[in-house]
């Protein structure tokens, strides 16, 4: 600071009373905390006396003297010099150290005696996120009942203030003491009145913005009540008297229930009060005869119905048995009929490709609706799993031999020995597809991805999480299976597409989602941040509601890891209930699994329960589990106390938050042990609830017979994937190879009216990836590759033909080729 010069104004006041020379400066005004709103700078002010110099220091560094605005004056009361200094702080200055430390400034004042430092002023960037962390929910409540509407405002700096509105009018607890706003921003209506019916909105605001939650409707209803009974009427001619009451105290209102019970009551009169004489005994005989005839007719009708139903059940059983014997078999040599109004164009087969076929089921390879057949006889055993077709290559018929053959090679050492979750095949430039059944995991090898003249033996496997040490820190969580495809290091001419399930809400505003890849040393590296992909990198991701599709120019081991950005981030959990298929004791166990909502985990649990002899007792439910640090609770209710009791000592069981959020524990479950009071008790009805504390919940209504229902775990809910695990060449694709080449040559060249690959991407809702496709030698090939990966099971090639026709390309007509002409 040796180059700092005092202003001329101060020089004129230098010769002041001697009291000035022995005083330390003290601050009249010190800098205060400030918030930067949008891009508007903030001003910090400092005022001190007596002072010869004042300068600001921010985050330990002196602010340049040219950035100070200085004013000098003299205190008229004391005659001492006063300095007034201000500086401006911009958003860019604060953002430079954002995340490392808080930005602060303080001023330092000098006098001839020494220096003094002011208090620190902290400068923060103000914001208010858009989404509420918890919004109020609509409720229907009875008159005079207490109502609580919850609200957790969006995250913000400074923290948002909360107010409530009813029908757009401000709710003021000071003027209406029936309302209370709690310290955690919830609105409580002490005793609901009819006038309290309306739409309630939680409003959050700070210096940046004002946000409104979705409105919650509160409906205050009135159940009807009974008036007093009237007096009994006089005895009438029919020897009866009556009395009445009305549903008017109060009358039902705003959806309230009507009164329950009778509003008119009658009573026979005594013989003395009845004006009629009792008729003779002949009337009694008549009435008895009529009753006897009615009983006989009723019994006859019951017998006829029972005989009819038994005959019908026998007929249905015969029909069912005969249909089972023909399931899966189709007549051969029958040419399918041509669709009406279709323009057919025959494509000559590629005779240069050699084909080796392996015997399998006669089902179509695109039929994904078949389910495991639960039979006990050799006649009805399931058919083999699909047909494997290879072109210019062959399949090893023994998976165990394949694993052992490659286990000694360095690039295959990470492959697990679990051949049940591994598929493999031999591929050339025509490409192909690998699939692990019932996991949602597949690898598409597009045509020309393998260089011509090369033949690769490629594998695809899902790793068990307990076999790997995937480093997770802070709020990170595993969002997908860990998938390996290899061998690593093979040369690819074009990206392959790896498809796998994920288990988060797919909202990148709530998450920072990264793709991790394991390198040769076994270390995990971040290779992609979803939503910020670069077309120049070897990896690119298409994120869908439940699936992640990875374009990759390298083979290796991959996993999707997410880090929540705020408490609104949610994972999808699949809740599955199992019990023992057979129970011969008084105790009966119900197991509730809370697993990541991915098909591979569900498959593993189903296989494990099958080995344990378990059975599914309800359809799986999905629960959104938020990053709120709250645990998951499970409880069982409404059991018939006369027949069953729970052996659980507490009111509920609890799974810790981090056990679920981490995602590395695959078989998290709780067991409810029930006890029936008699071995003859077989009917069980109860309510099983699963919920996150202060979050979402699901409930299962169970009603079943524990002795009769002996279904195996996969009889209904686990769908068999009837496709071959390995398909090579044209059989792996819906679009024939020659047709694909013609489409690419037609759409790759830019068209002035936009009728090229760009319009194809728009029609298929892939416009977000325009820059990625444009970076490829053939943009159309990339689009068709993604379409093949998305629609292998459910794709309709005629729908793609309709898109081509909409673009205006006559090549669409070549799709309309019937199976009989191919």
């Amino acid at each position: 600071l040796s180059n700092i010069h005092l202003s001329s104004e101060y020089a004129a006041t230098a010769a002041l009373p001697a009291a000035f020379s022995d005083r330390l400066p003290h601050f009249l005004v010190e800098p205060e905390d400030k918030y930067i709103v949008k891009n508007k700078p903030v001003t910090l002010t400092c005022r001190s006396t007596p002072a010869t110099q004042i300068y600001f220091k921010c985050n330990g560094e002196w602010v340049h003297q040219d950035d100070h605005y200085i004013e000098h004056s003299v205190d008229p009361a004391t005659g001492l010099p006063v300095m007034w200094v201000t500086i401006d702080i911009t958003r860019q200055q604060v953002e430079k150290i954002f995340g490392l430390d808080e930005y602060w400034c303080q001023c330092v004042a000098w006098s001839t005696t020494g220096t003094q430092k002011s208090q620190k002023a902290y400068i923060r960037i103000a914001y208010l996120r858009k989404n509420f962390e918890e919004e109020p929910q609509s409720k229907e409540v009875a008159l005079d009942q207490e109502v609580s509407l919850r609200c957790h405002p969006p995250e913000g700096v400074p923290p948002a203030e909360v107010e409530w509105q009813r029908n757009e009018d401000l709710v003021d607890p000071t003027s209406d003491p029936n309302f209370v706003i709690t310290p955690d921003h919830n609105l409580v209506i002490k005793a609901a009145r009819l006038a309290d019916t309306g739409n309630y909105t939680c409003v959050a605001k700070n210096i940046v913005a004002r946000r409104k939650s979705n409105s919650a409707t509160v409906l205050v209803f009135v159940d009807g009540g009974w008036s007093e009974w009237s007096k009994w009427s006089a005895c009438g001619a029919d020897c009866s008297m009556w009395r009445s009451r009305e549903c008017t105290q109060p009358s039902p209102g705003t959806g309230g229930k009507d009164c329950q019970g009778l509003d008119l009551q009658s009573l026979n009169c005594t013989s003395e009060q009845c004006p009629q004489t009792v008729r003779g005994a002949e009337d009694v005989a008549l009435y008895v005869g009529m009753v006897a005839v009615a009983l006989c007719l009723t019994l006859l009708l019951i017998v006829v119905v029972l005989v009819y139903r038994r005959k019908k059940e026998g007929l249905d059983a015969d029909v069912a048995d005969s249909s089972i014997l023909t399931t899966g078999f189709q007549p051969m040599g029958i040419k399918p009929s041509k669709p009406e109004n279709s323009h057919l164009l025959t494509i000559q087969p590629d005779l240069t490709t050699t084909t080796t076929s392996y015997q399998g089921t006669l089902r179509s390879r695109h039929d994904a609706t078949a389910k495991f057949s639960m039979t006990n006889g050799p006649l009805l055993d399931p058919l083999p799993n699909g047909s494997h077709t290879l072109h210019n290559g062959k399949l090893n018929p023994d998976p165990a031999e394949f694993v052992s053959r490659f286990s000694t090679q360095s690039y295959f050492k990470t492959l697990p020995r679990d051949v049940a979750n591994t598929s493999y095949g031999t591929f050339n430039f025509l490409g192909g597809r690998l699939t692990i059944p019932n996991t949602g995991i597949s690898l598409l090898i597009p045509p020309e991805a393998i260089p011509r003249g090369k033949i690769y033996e490629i594998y695809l496997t899902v790793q068990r999480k307990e076999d790997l040490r995937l480093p997770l820190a802070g709020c990170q969580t595993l969002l997908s299976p860990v998938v390996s495809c290899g061998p690593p290091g093979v040369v690819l001419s074009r990206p392959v597409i790896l498809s796998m399930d994920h288990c988060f809400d797919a909202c990148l505003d709530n998450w920072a989602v990264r793709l991790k890849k394991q390198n040769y040393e076994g270390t995990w590296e971040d290779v992609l941040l979803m939503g910020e992909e670069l077309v120049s990198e070897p990896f690119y991701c298409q994120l869908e509601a439940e699936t992640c599709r990875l374009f990759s120019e390298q083979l290796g081991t991959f996993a999707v890891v997410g880090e929540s950005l705020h408490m609104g981030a949610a994972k999808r959990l699949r809740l599955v209930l199992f019990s023992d298929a057979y129970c011969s004791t008084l105790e009966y166990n119900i197991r509730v699994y809370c697993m990541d909502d991915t098909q591979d985990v569900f498959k593993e649990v189903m296989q494990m329960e099958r080995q344990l002899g378990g059975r599914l007792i309800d359809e799986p439910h999905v629960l959104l589990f938020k990053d709120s640090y709250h645990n998951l609770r499970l409880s069982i209710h409404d059991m018939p106390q006369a027949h069953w009791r729970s052996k659980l000592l507490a009111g509920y069981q609890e799974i810790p938050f981090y056990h679920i959020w981490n995602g590395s524990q695959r078989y998290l479950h709780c067991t409810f042990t029930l006890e029936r009071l008699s071995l003859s008790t077989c009917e069980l009805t109860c309510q099983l609830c699963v919920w996150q504390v202060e979050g979402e919940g699901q409930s299962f209504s169970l009603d079943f017979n524990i002795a009769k229902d002996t279904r195996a775990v996969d009889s209904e809910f686990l769908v068999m994937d009837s496709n071959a695990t390995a398909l090579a060449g044209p059989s792996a694709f819906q679009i024939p190879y020659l047709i694909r080449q013609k489409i690419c040559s037609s759409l790759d060249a830019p068209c002035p009216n936009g009728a090229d690959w760009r319009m194809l991407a728009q029609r298929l809702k892939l416009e977000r990836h325009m820059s990625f496709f444009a970076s490829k030698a053939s943009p159309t090939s990339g689009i068709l590759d993604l379409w093949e990966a998305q629609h292998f099971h459910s794709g309709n090639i005629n729908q793609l033909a309709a898109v081509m026709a909409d673009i205006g390309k006559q090549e669409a007509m070549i799709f309309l080729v019937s199976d009989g002409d191919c």
Side-chain angles (χ1 to χ4, degrees):
L1 296 176
S2 59
N3 60 341
I4 298 176
H5 301 284
L6 301 182
S7 64
S8 59
E9 291 86 350
Y10 173 70
T13 61
L16 289 174
F20 166 73
S21 62
D22 60 353
R23 287 192 179 185
L24 286 172
H26 73 276
F27 291 97
L28 304 176
V29 177
E30 296 187 70
E32 297 179 346
D33 295 347
K34 298 283 187 178
Y35 293 99
I36 294 179
V37 179
K38 298 182 178 178
N39 293 316
K40 185 177 180 180
V42 296
T43 300
L44 299 182
T45 302
C46 196
R47 186 181 180 192
S48 179
T49 183
T52 58
Q53 300 178 80
I54 300 180
Y55 282 92
F56 273 91
K57 178 185 285 188
C58 294
N59 281 78
E61 296 183 2
W62 292 105
V63 178
H64 195 276
Q65 64 181 18
D66 293 341
D67 295 331
H68 292 74
Y69 178 77
I70 304 175
E71 292 184 4
H72 295 277
S73 63
V74 176
D75 188 338
T78 62
L80 297 178
V82 178
M83 290 192 70
W84 190 302
V85 179
T86 60
I87 61 171
D88 289 339
I89 303 296
T90 65
R91 184 187 185 100
Q92 290 74 17
Q93 290 174 271
V94 177
E95 287 178 338
K96 284 182 180 179
I97 64 149
F98 183 74
L100 301 177
D101 196 1
E102 287 194 293
Y103 194 94
W104 59 267
C105 294
Q106 68 178 165
C107 55
V108 182
W110 283 263
S111 71
T112 57
T113 304
T115 63
Q116 287 282 74
K117 294 181 180 179
S118 72
Q119 66 182 11
K120 288 183 178 180
Y122 290 89
I123 299 92
R124 302 175 177 91
I125 298 175
Y127 66 92
L128 183 62
R129 298 194 185 278
K130 293 183 179 180
N131 297 326
F132 280 72
E133 296 187 0
E134 184 176 10
E135 295 187 293
Q137 303 297 317
S138 297
K139 294 187 176 182
E140 295 184 2
V141 296
L143 188 69
D144 296 326
Q145 180 181 336
E146 182 179 280
V147 185
S148 178
L149 297 176
R150 300 182 60 82
C151 177
H152 197 160
E155 179 185 347
V157 173
E161 298 177 355
V162 171
E163 63 184 25
W164 285 84
Q165 293 180 349
R166 180 183 64 194
N167 300 332
E168 303 295 329
D169 294 329
L170 181 66
V171 174
D172 186 6
T174 59
S175 59
D176 189 346
N178 195 41
F179 292 104
V180 175
I181 298 179
T182 66
D184 52 353
H185 312 302
N186 300 330
L187 178 65
V188 176
I189 306 175
K190 295 180 181 179
R193 304 160 297 192
L194 291 177
D196 294 328
T197 296
N199 296 319
Y200 288 80
T201 308
C202 182
V203 181
K205 60 182 179 180
N206 66 4
I207 58 177
V208 178
R210 188 170 184 263
R211 314 285 190 205
K212 283 188 174 184
S213 71
N214 291 326
S215 294
T217 301
V218 173
L219 178 64
V220 182
F221 60 85
V222 181
D223 289 335
W226 295 99
S227 65
E228 295 294 330
W229 284 104
S230 65
K231 293 183 178 181
W232 287 103
S233 67
C235 191
D238 58 351
C239 294
S240 65
M241 54 185 180
W242 56 270
R243 64 177 181 174
S244 64
R245 55 182 177 177
E246 297 179 347
C247 189
T248 57
Q249 295 184 0
S251 299
T254 58
K257 297 179 181 178
D258 288 331
C259 298
Q260 303 296 316
L262 300 174
D263 55 3
L264 186 65
Q265 193 176 49
S266 63
L267 189 67
N268 289 334
C269 305
T270 62
S271 58
E272 293 82 4
Q273 296 173 314
C274 183
Q276 294 184 354
T277 59
V278 181
R279 299 186 64 179
E282 65 276 7
D283 292 340
V284 176
L286 176 63
Y287 294 146
V288 171
M290 294 174 63
V291 170
V293 172
L295 287 174
C296 291
L297 291 175
T298 302
L299 290 174
L300 179 62
L301 179 61
I302 291 174
V303 171
V304 171
V305 170
L306 288 175
V307 172
Y308 172 76
R309 290 183 63 181
R310 287 188 178 183
K311 287 185 178 181
K312 186 175 184 299
E313 288 175 356
L315 180 60
D316 290 344
D318 293 340
V319 174
D321 291 342
S322 63
S323 66
I324 290 175
L325 293 176
T326 59
T327 299
F329 295 91
Q330 300 174 5
M332 303 300 293
I334 300 177
K335 184 176 180 180
S337 60
K338 299 182 180 180
E340 296 182 3
N341 301 326
S342 295
H343 300 278
L344 307 179
L345 176 62
T346 302
I347 300 300
Q348 296 298 325
D350 184 2
L351 300 181
T352 63
T353 303
T354 61
T355 303
T356 304
S357 297
Y358 292 83
Q359 183 178 1
T361 179
L362 298 178
R363 297 190 185 100
S364 167
R365 76 164 187 266
H366 297 298
D367 179 13
T369 61
K371 301 181 179 180
F372 282 122
S373 174
M374 300 308 301
T375 60
N376 297 319
L379 178 63
L380 301 181
D381 284 345
L383 293 171
N385 288 340
S387 58
H388 302 275
T389 305
L390 291 179
H391 294 255
N392 293 336
K394 63 180 181 178
L395 280 177
N396 190 327
D398 185 4
E401 195 275 337
F402 172 82
V403 172
S404 62
R405 178 161 54 89
F406 282 89
S407 61
T408 57
Q409 302 186 29
S410 59
Y411 62 72
F412 208 84
K413 288 182 179 179
T414 58
L415 182 64
R417 302 300 188 266
D418 184 9
V419 295
N421 289 318
T422 301
S423 62
Y424 58 91
T426 305
F427 304 95
N428 63 3
F429 75 96
L430 290 173
R433 184 189 307 264
L434 290 174
T435 303
I436 303 177
N438 298 309
T439 63
I441 299 171
S442 64
L443 180 69
L444 181 76
I445 307 167
E448 307 294 340
I450 296 176
R452 289 179 178 255
K454 299 285 187 180
I455 296 178
Y456 294 156
E457 192 157 31
I458 295 177
Y459 66 84
L460 175 68
T461 184
V462 55
Q463 304 272 7
R464 294 187 180 274
K465 297 177 184 177
E466 56 268 22
D467 297 334
L468 292 174
R469 293 183 178 179
L470 186 65
L472 299 174
C475 297
Q476 288 185 337
T477 176
L478 188 60
L479 298 176
S480 76
V482 180
V483 180
S484 295
C485 53
V490 299
V491 177
L492 296 174
S493 303
R494 297 182 50 220
V496 297
I497 300 180
L498 177 64
S499 300
M500 53 186 171
D501 287 356
H502 66 76
C503 60
F504 72 108
D505 55 15
C507 178
L508 294 180
D509 291 337
N510 299 337
W511 293 87
V513 181
R514 291 176 170 83
L515 177 74
K516 286 184 176 287
K517 180 177 182 292
Q518 193 175 33
N519 61 21
Y520 289 101
E521 291 77 26
T523 304
W524 288 91
E525 300 174 337
D526 293 342
V527 296
L528 181 149
L529 177 62
M530 293 191 187
E532 298 183 15
E533 298 92 341
L534 299 176
V535 297
S536 58
E537 297 295 327
F539 308 100
Y540 193 89
C541 181
Q542 153 80 357
L543 185 64
E544 300 169 11
E546 298 179 354
T547 307
C548 172
R549 306 195 190 274
L550 172 66
F551 289 81
S552 177
E553 298 174 6
Q554 303 172 9
L555 302 184
T557 300
F558 301 93
V560 177
V561 172
E563 183 174 5
S564 63
L565 299 180
H566 54 77
M567 295 172 65
K571 289 183 66 173
R572 294 193 321 274
L573 299 183
R574 186 178 299 195
L575 308 176
V576 191
L577 272 61
F578 293 91
S579 67
D580 299 324
Y582 301 94
C583 180
S584 59
T585 64
L586 293 177
E587 285 192 354
Y588 188 72
N589 295 320
I590 296 178
R591 295 178 292 278
V592 186
Y593 286 82
C594 305
M595 65 188 79
D596 289 348
D597 186 24
T598 56
Q599 296 180 59
D600 67 302
V601 183
F602 184 55
K603 175 185 177 182
E604 284 188 28
V605 172
M606 296 290 274
Q607 291 173 340
M608 183 179 68
E609 280 290 332
R610 187 190 302 123
Q611 295 173 357
L612 295 175
R615 60 161 173 167
L616 262 173
I617 57 176
D618 203 350
E619 294 187 6
H621 291 196
V622 173
L623 174 73
L624 288 179
F625 188 78
K626 291 188 177 181
D627 181 20
S628 62
Y629 303 102
H630 290 299
N631 298 338
L632 192 71
R633 289 183 178 175
L634 304 93
S635 62
I636 195 164
H637 309 275
D638 301 333
M639 286 187 301
Q641 300 296 324
H643 303 288
W644 292 88
R645 69 182 183 90
S646 173
K647 301 191 72 173
L648 183 66
L649 298 179
Y652 57 83
Q653 298 191 64
E654 197 164 69
I655 301 179
F657 169 83
Y658 283 105
H659 288 185
I660 298 174
W661 192 256
N662 181 267
S664 60
Q665 302 188 41
R666 298 171 75 80
Y667 306 130
L668 280 176
H669 71 278
C670 286
T671 300
F672 289 90
T673 301
L674 311 179
E675 186 178 51
R676 47 181 174 168
L677 303 184
S678 170
L679 286 175
S680 62
T681 299
C682 295
E683 294 293 334
L684 173 59
T685 59
C686 61
Q687 192 85 3
L688 200 149
C689 300
V690 184
W691 76 100
Q692 187 179 16
V693 180
E694 298 187 9
E696 184 178 309
Q698 289 280 11
S699 64
F700 298 81
S701 297
L702 305 181
D703 185 359
F704 62 99
N705 188 302
I706 68 173
K708 292 182 180 179
D709 191 357
T710 57
R711 295 170 297 170
V713 295
D714 53 5
S715 60
E716 289 188 13
F717 298 100
L718 185 60
V719 177
M720 174 182 286
D721 189 345
S722 60
N723 297 296
T725 59
L727 294 170
S731 64
F733 305 96
Q734 295 215 32
I735 308 173
Y737 181 70
L738 296 179
I739 295 177
R740 176 191 176 97
Q741 289 181 317
K742 290 184 179 181
I743 295 175
C744 293
S745 62
S746 174
L747 296 183
D748 277 345
C751 186
N753 62 359
D756 51 27
W757 65 268
R758 294 168 296 179
M759 188 173 292
L760 177 63
Q762 292 174 351
R763 294 293 189 273
L764 297 179
K765 296 181 172 49
L766 301 174
E767 57 269 18
R768 189 178 78 84
H769 310 300
M770 286 288 197
S771 58
F772 171 74
F773 296 131
S775 67
K776 304 304 175 185
S778 173
T780 310
S781 290
I783 297 173
L784 296 180
D785 292 345
L786 183 55
W787 187 88
E788 290 276 4
Q790 290 175 319
H791 299 94
F792 181 59
H793 293 295
S794 59
N796 186 340
I797 204 165
N798 284 333
Q799 292 178 351
L800 186 59
V803 172
M804 293 293 297
D806 187 43
I807 296 176
K809 295 293 183 178
Q810 296 303 317
E811 290 80 359
M813 305 302 293
I814 63 180
F815 287 115
L816 302 178
V817 181
S818 70
D819 294 337
D821 291 330
C822 291

